[in-house]
């Protein structure tokens, strides 16, 4: 086991449901300094675990463990933190409660403050649903978070993004005839169709047209779809996926009780220096929606990743995109809140 567990006890979620014996799985990189002010939070995205975040961490990079104390908390539902697959009855599998982005960040806050005694965070950064969490951190704890850097992720799930996630859910539910009473019969084999649905959204039209999958070692479109999308999704537990899809579909930083559903007010409340990096060809976390969000955040810079890798411009696969993200993070970390 290359990660640690933070026991949360019985947790009352935003829905009002109490999840007993909840826990967060997390991994740290580097050392916390005496002032406890060299902290970077780097939450995981949908379907990812902390290992998938490691491409952005390393010596000489913005997220340098020799300089910063980097905490990677795993998303609830991802199979490592409390999830349908590892929670005992009566909250196992289909009975796992609905968890929000607000819930995730609130529990991460407990990890940061109770476990480590941290009161100031230099940066919260994340891709996709990790990006949503970085917005949430900025809105929920504006006096604690100095910088945020979401990439390929919005501050809420806009309507078209909701529809994309709903299509993924539908592909899974079709396997049980859309009968919610049969959800517990789902197996990872049914995830194959979900991977096929996501294949058309994760990357741009130009990526497929220019056959960039050949750079990843695939000599045909079919081989790429089967080898990447089918295989990756079939490695996921379907109940975990349904839980994370719900979290994603209903993500909205305005749903924080402090803002009572006022999305614009939540954005305006963020005091952190923000570098918002959408993928220029992202098909479902669009640059236009990020641009709107950036306009309302007082100290935000809108800096799209000019790439034909779509949503996966932020996935750590393409070296040019990786350098763009890392360079922007270095610039952001070099700035003071007073500049």
């Amino acid at each position: 086991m290359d990660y640690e567990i933070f026991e949360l006890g019985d947790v009352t979620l935003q829905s009002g449901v109490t999840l007993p014996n909840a826990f967060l799985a997390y991994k740290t990189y580097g050392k916390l300094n005496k002032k406890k002010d060299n902290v970077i939070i780097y939450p995981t995205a949908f379907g990812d675990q902390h290992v998938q975040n490691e491409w952005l961490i390393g010596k000489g990079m913005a997220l340098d463990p020799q300089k910063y104390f980097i905490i990677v908390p795993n998303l609830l539902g991802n199979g490592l933190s409390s999830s349908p697959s590892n929670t005992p009855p009566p909250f196992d599998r289909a009975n796992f409660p609905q968890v929000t982005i607000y819930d995730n960040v609130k529990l991460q806050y407990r990890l940061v403050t109770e476990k480590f005694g941290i009161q100031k965070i230099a940066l919260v950064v994340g891709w996709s649903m990790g990006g949503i969490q970085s917005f949430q951190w900025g809105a929920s704890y504006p006096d604690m978070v100095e910088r945020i850097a979401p990439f390929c992720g919005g501050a809420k799930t806009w309507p078209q993004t909701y529809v994309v996630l709903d299509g993924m859910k539908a592909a899974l539910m079709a396997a049980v005839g859309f009968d919610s009473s049969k959800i517990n019969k789902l197996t990872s084999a049914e995830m194959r169709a979900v991977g096929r649905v996501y294949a058309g959204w994760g990357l741009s039209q130009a990526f497929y047209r220019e056959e960039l999958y050949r750079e990843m070692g695939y000599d045909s479109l079919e081989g790429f779809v089967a080898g990447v999308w089918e295989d990756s999704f079939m490695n996921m537990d379907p109940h975990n996926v349904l839980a994370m899809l719900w979290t994603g579909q209903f993500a909205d930083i305005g749903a924080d009780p402090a803002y009572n559903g006022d999305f614009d007010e939540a954005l305006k409340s963020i005091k952190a220096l923000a570098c918002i990096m959408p993928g220029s060809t992202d098909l479902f976390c669009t640059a236009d929606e990020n641009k709107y969000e950036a306009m309302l955040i007082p100290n935000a810079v809108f800096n799209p990743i000019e790439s034909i890798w779509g949503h996966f411009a932020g996935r750590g696969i393409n070296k040019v995109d990786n350098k763009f993200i890392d360079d922007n993070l270095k610039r952001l970390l070099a700035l003071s809140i007073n500049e």
Side-chain angles (χ1 to χ4, degrees), residues 30-39 68-69 116-118:
K31 293 183 179 180
L32 185 61
N33 65 13
K34 289 183 179 180
K35 292 184 178 180
K36 297 187 177 183
D37 63 357
N38 66 330
V39 179
Y68 293 101
F69 182 60
F116 298 108
I118 293 165

Side-chain angles (χ1 to χ4, degrees), residues 125-142:
V125 58
W127 172 64
S128 194
M129 276 176 66
I132 299 175
Q133 291 169 78
S134 67
F135 279 112
Q136 186 72 65
W137 264 102
S140 291
Y141 306 102

Side-chain angles (χ1 to χ4, degrees), residues 68-319:
Y68 293 101
F69 182 60
I70 303 152
I71 306 172
V72 179
N74 283 272
L75 186 73
L76 291 166
N78 81 342
L80 296 185
S81 293
S82 286
S83 304
S85 63
N86 61 24
T87 299
F91 292 110
D92 61 322
R93 298 188 293 171
N95 300 314
F96 193 74
Q98 295 168 339
V99 176
T100 63
I101 293 293
Y102 173 80
D103 288 325
N104 273 277
V105 170
K106 183 178 179 182
L107 299 181
Q108 291 167 20
Y109 173 82
R110 284 188 55 191
L111 166 67
V112 167
T113 56
E114 295 175 20
K115 173 71 176 179
F116 298 108
I118 293 165
Q119 295 299 323
K120 189 66 69 174
I121 297 171
L123 170 68
V124 186
V125 58
W127 172 64
S128 194
M129 276 176 66
I132 299 175
Q133 291 169 78
S134 67
F135 279 112
Q136 186 72 65
W137 264 102
S140 291
Y141 306 102
D143 294 321
M144 184 180 190
V145 178
E146 295 179 327
R147 301 166 190 83
I148 62 171
F151 51 98
C152 302
K156 73 173 182 179
T157 297
W158 293 78
Q160 191 257 357
T161 311
Y162 179 97
V163 171
V164 172
L165 298 177
D166 208 47
M168 295 168 65
K169 178 182 176 181
L172 192 52
M173 292 300 296
V176 290
F178 293 92
D179 185 344
S180 59
S181 69
K182 296 180 180 178
I183 289 177
N184 281 340
K185 295 182 179 180
L186 288 169
T187 68
S188 293
E190 279 85 55
M191 290 298 300
R192 181 178 184 180
V194 183
R196 288 268 172 176
V197 171
Y198 189 69
W201 292 106
L203 295 156
S204 75
Q205 299 96 328
F207 174 93
Y208 284 112
R209 186 173 60 246
E210 297 187 19
E211 301 182 349
L212 292 190
Y213 49 81
R214 295 184 184 277
E215 295 180 10
M216 299 172 66
Y218 293 91
D219 58 9
S220 71
L221 179 60
E222 176 60 28
F224 173 68
V225 172
V228 170
W229 300 115
E230 286 186 6
D231 285 1
S232 62
F233 276 85
M234 288 172 71
N235 283 325
M236 299 182 198
D237 180 282
H239 304 101
N240 291 349
V241 167
L242 286 172
M244 290 184 288
L245 283 172
W246 192 94
T247 300
Q249 283 188 281
F250 294 94
D252 183 345
I253 66 167
D256 183 322
Y259 305 109
N260 197 31
D262 191 331
F263 179 64
D264 287 6
E265 186 60 31
L267 289 167
K268 292 174 185 176
S269 77
I270 296 173
K271 297 179 181 179
L273 297 171
C275 180
I276 299 171
M277 294 177 277
S280 63
T281 58
D282 196 325
L283 298 175
F284 68 99
C285 291
T286 71
D288 282 348
E289 289 156 349
N290 264 169
K291 187 174 184 179
Y292 175 86
E293 294 161 354
M295 287 172 58
L296 293 178
I297 298 174
N299 299 303
V301 173
F302 176 72
N303 204 355
I305 309 165
E306 297 297 337
S307 169
I308 65 171
W309 281 69
H311 192 58
F312 269 43
R315 193 62 175 83
I317 301 172
N318 183 32
K319 291 181 180 179

